[in-house]
């Protein structure tokens, strides 16, 4: 049961071309977001689509895969864990962000 702790699985489309960073340590970092959609019918019978955006971070070999094979619009499957952190923006305001640290990446259908 311990393997189920803090595990996230998402399938969605990449929102923008990933940002790739080569760190001084030699590690590679990829940052991107994916959109997941859920559809339902409201009381009037109209189809409503709810889109959620998720911030994704990938390191090392996974970041290299992202760099080479994941353009904007690509459908991907992500498995990882949720992490939260805070930072100060340019105006000195403390901001909070939740990200999925990607452990596994699955390339799915074509581009959207």
């Amino acid at each position: 049961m311990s393997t189920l702790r803090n595990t996230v699985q998402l399938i969605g489309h990449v929102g923008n071309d990933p940002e790739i960073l080569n760190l001084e340590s030699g590690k590679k970092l990829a940052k991107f977001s994916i959109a997941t959609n859920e559809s339902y019918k409201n009381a009037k019978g109209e189809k409503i689509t709810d889109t959620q955006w998720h911030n994704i971070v990938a390191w090392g070999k996974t970041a290299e895969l992202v760099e080479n094979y994941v353009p904007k619009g690509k459908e991907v499957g992500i498995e990882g864990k949720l992490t939260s952190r805070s930072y100060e923006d340019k105006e000195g305001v403390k901001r909070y962000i939740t990200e999925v640290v990607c452990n596994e990446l699955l390339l799915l259908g074509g581009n959207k």
Side-chain angles (χ1 to χ4, degrees):
M1 204 48 109
S2 65
T3 58
L4 295 178
R5 292 191 179 132
N6 195 7
T7 298
V8 176
Q9 294 180 332
L10 299 169
I11 295 176
H13 288 90
V14 176
N16 291 315
D17 285 326
E19 176 185 356
I20 307 298
L21 302 169
N22 292 300
L23 305 177
E24 289 180 16
S25 64
K27 280 193 168 187
K28 188 167 287 209
L29 169 65
K31 294 181 177 184
F32 59 102
S33 62
I34 65 170
T36 56
N37 297 311
E38 181 179 359
S39 297
Y40 61 93
K41 289 190 177 182
N42 66 12
K44 297 179 184 176
E46 301 165 329
K47 183 180 175 183
I48 306 294
T49 300
D50 179 36
T51 301
Q52 296 290 319
W53 287 93
H54 311 275
N55 297 311
I56 312 296
V57 176
W59 294 91
K61 296 283 187 194
T62 307
E64 290 176 19
L65 288 173
V66 170
E67 180 179 33
N68 294 322
Y69 301 107
V70 181
K72 175 182 178 179
K74 178 74 176 167
E75 186 178 28
V76 295
I78 299 288
E79 183 173 281
K81 65 178 183 174
L82 283 177
T83 60
S84 296
R85 61 183 174 86
S86 63
Y87 65 95
E88 282 192 16
D89 66 13
K90 294 175 186 173
E91 289 79 38
V93 177
K94 193 169 192 176
R95 303 278 182 185
Y96 297 90
I97 188 168
T98 299
E99 299 167 319
V100 176
V101 176
C102 176
N103 298 328
E104 290 191 40
L105 174 71
L106 182 61
L107 304 174
L108 299 172
N111 295 346
K112 193 172 184 182

